[in-house]
């Protein structure tokens, strides 16, 4: 993407011009070196602040979470780095139609796909909770509480 100083402008363009409203940041990897772990945490914090400043919703995701959701084939999930990269590239090409995406670009596509699925999952959960509440004849009490959380 470029220097961190260009990020506010880039994120604003993503939000305003491309109508991208969610920023997904991979969380969880800390590396073997404590200095690297601290630097990664610092950069994640800066990216989060910049994205929120641009009006985006920020979602942190552990690598294993998005990999299990987007790269699994039945019970099998790639464990080795080379397999994860290969599967991410295949998945990213299937999603975007673009060939030759880098490892990072492919993983970013998979994380974006995970976030979109996760965001679209919430209304279904709420709808099922309302059906259960109606069935239990507690709908009025439940809907009142639900509206307070929105």
């Amino acid at each position: 993407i470029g220097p961190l100083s260009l990020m506010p402008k880039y994120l604003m363009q993503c939000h305003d011009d491309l109508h991208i409203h969610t920023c997904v940041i991979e969380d969880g990897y800390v590396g073997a070196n404590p200095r690297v772990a601290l630097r990664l945490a610092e950069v994640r914090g800066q990216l989060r602040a910049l994205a929120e400043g641009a009006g985006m919703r920020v979602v942190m995701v552990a690598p294993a979470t998005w990999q299990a959701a987007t790269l699994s084939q039945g019970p099998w999930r790639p464990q080795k780095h080379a397999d994860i990269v290969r599967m991410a590239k295949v998945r990213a090409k299937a999603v975007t139609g673009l060939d030759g995406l880098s490892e990072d670009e492919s993983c970013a596509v998979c994380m974006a796909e995970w976030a979109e699925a996760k965001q679209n999952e919430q209304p279904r959960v709420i709808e099922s909770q309302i059906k259960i509440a109606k069935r239990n004849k507690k709908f009025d009490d439940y809907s009142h509480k639900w509206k307070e959380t929105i």
Side-chain angles (χ1 to χ4, degrees), residues 77-126:
R77 181 174 77 82
Q79 300 293 322
K80 294 181 180 177
H81 182 74
D83 292 335
I84 291 168
V85 170
R86 182 177 51 78
M87 291 299 294
K89 286 186 174 197
V90 168
R91 183 68 175 217
K93 182 179 179 182
V95 170
T96 65
L98 300 173
D99 202 8
L101 293 175
S102 72
E103 174 182 334
D104 291 337
E105 291 167 331
S106 298
C107 290
V109 168
C110 293
M111 285 190 288
E113 182 184 27
W114 170 85
E116 184 177 341
K118 181 86 173 149
Q119 184 174 348
N120 292 335
E121 179 180 284
Q122 188 174 356
R124 287 195 300 268
V125 170
I126 292 170

Side-chain angles (χ1 to χ4, degrees), residues 124-140:
R124 287 195 300 268
V125 170
I126 292 170
E127 287 170 15
S128 66
Q129 289 172 342
I130 290 172
K131 285 179 186 176
I132 292 168
K134 280 182 179 178
R135 197 171 346 152
N136 293 335
K137 298 182 182 184
K138 296 178 182 173
F139 181 72
D140 291 334

Side-chain angles (χ1 to χ4, degrees), residues 26-76:
E26 189 175 57
D27 197 13
Y29 176 77
V30 293
N33 184 333
R35 190 178 255 175
V36 171
L38 289 172
R39 182 66 180 135
L40 284 172
E42 181 183 327
V43 170
R44 283 185 190 112
Q46 290 173 339
L47 287 174
R48 182 181 195 118
L50 290 171
E52 288 173 346
M56 296 178 141
R57 177 178 77 102
V58 177
V59 178
M60 305 294 281
V61 60
T65 301
W66 70 261
Q67 291 167 7
T70 61
L71 305 181
S72 295
Q73 294 183 344
W76 181 82

